[in-house]
Amino acid sequence: MRGKTAEDLKLLELLDPVAEAAGYEIVRLRLMGGAERRRLQIMAERASDGDMVVEDCARLSRAISEVMDAADPISGEYTLEVSSPGIDRPLTRPKDFEAWEGFEVKIELDRLAEGRKRFRGVLQGIEDDQVGIDLEGEVETAMIPLAWIVEAKLVLTDELMKRGAEGRAARLASEQQQTTE
């Protein structure tokens, strides 16, 4: 899920160590567009706390650019975009499904399950490579194999916005405390 195509996966192999050395984790990588104008979109976060501010994006972008210029793995011109995953972030790694348990999520599968490919409900974590989701109107938690998921994303809700605001407030308070010491 972190990469969709074989080319995405090769780029992840090249860039994961770069991001890790700089203190970041790549959440998702997508190389998009045709032969003319391509865009390499990388969503990342700090390994230490999952945060990602503008300065982090710039730092990671410079580190990735150096490696990309030397290795030249993409033919033709492309634009590099480094960003945070955002509040309604994609869930791409097992730890994401654990960290965001209790929040509403949309999941898309690569095959039909119970006659459909798309599900929306409250995330109930992950167990033995099975993602749990409480679907509206269902009594039991649905278990979906992680391997079947092609896309999973948090749904923007008031609860999610509240968690994001609380996280920002805590980060700002911590930064304020560090500058006064």
Side-chain angles (χ1 to χ4, degrees):
M1 285 188 297
R2 289 189 328 127
K4 274 190 174 179
T5 67
E7 194 171 19
D8 289 349
L9 298 176
K10 280 187 176 184
L11 288 169
L12 277 167
E13 283 181 31
L14 175 68
L15 299 177
D16 269 338
V18 176
E20 288 171 16
Y24 302 97
E25 293 179 345
I26 296 175
V27 174
R28 190 178 83 183
L29 179 148
R30 296 285 190 269
L31 182 60
M32 299 175 279
E36 293 286 320
R37 294 195 157 258
R38 298 183 88 186
R39 182 173 47 147
L40 178 58
Q41 181 188 69
I42 297 173
M43 291 182 180
E45 61 190 10
R46 283 196 300 246
S48 61
D49 60 9
D51 209 1
M52 193 75 170
V53 295
V54 173
E55 292 81 11
D56 293 311
C57 292
R59 190 174 303 119
L60 182 57
S61 180
R62 284 190 296 274
I64 286 173
S65 290
E66 284 182 29
V67 171
M68 294 294 288
D69 289 346
D72 198 23
I74 300 172
S75 61
E77 292 185 25
Y78 67 93
T79 302
L80 173 63
E81 294 178 1
V82 176
S83 69
S84 91
I87 189 128
D88 54 346
R89 61 178 293 135
L91 306 175
T92 61
R93 305 161 296 181
K95 72 180 195 172
D96 295 334
F97 292 94
E98 289 175 9
W100 297 97
E101 184 175 335
F103 289 91
E104 195 169 341
V105 65
K106 288 182 190 178
I107 295 177
E108 184 176 337
L109 308 181
D110 66 355
R111 65 196 76 191
L112 289 175
E114 298 185 23
R116 61 187 184 164
K117 284 186 165 190
R118 291 180 182 87
F119 296 83
R120 181 176 177 151
V122 177
L123 185 61
Q124 294 304 312
I126 187 168
E127 185 178 312
D128 299 326
D129 289 331
Q130 300 267 325
V131 173
I133 183 172
D134 284 343
L135 304 170
E136 191 173 316
E138 298 289 327
V139 175
E140 292 192 24
T141 298
M143 299 304 289
I144 300 170
L146 185 61
W148 294 6
I149 298 173
V150 291
E151 194 155 331
K153 184 177 180 175
L154 291 174
V155 175
L156 193 58
T157 62
D158 289 343
E159 294 147 58
L160 187 59
M161 299 268 293
K162 182 180 178 189
R163 179 169 169 175
E166 289 169 351
R168 279 189 301 282
R171 185 185 77 238
L172 291 172
S174 174
E175 289 172 2
Q176 183 71 24
Q177 184 178 18
Q178 289 174 359
T179 58
T180 58
E181 292 178 351

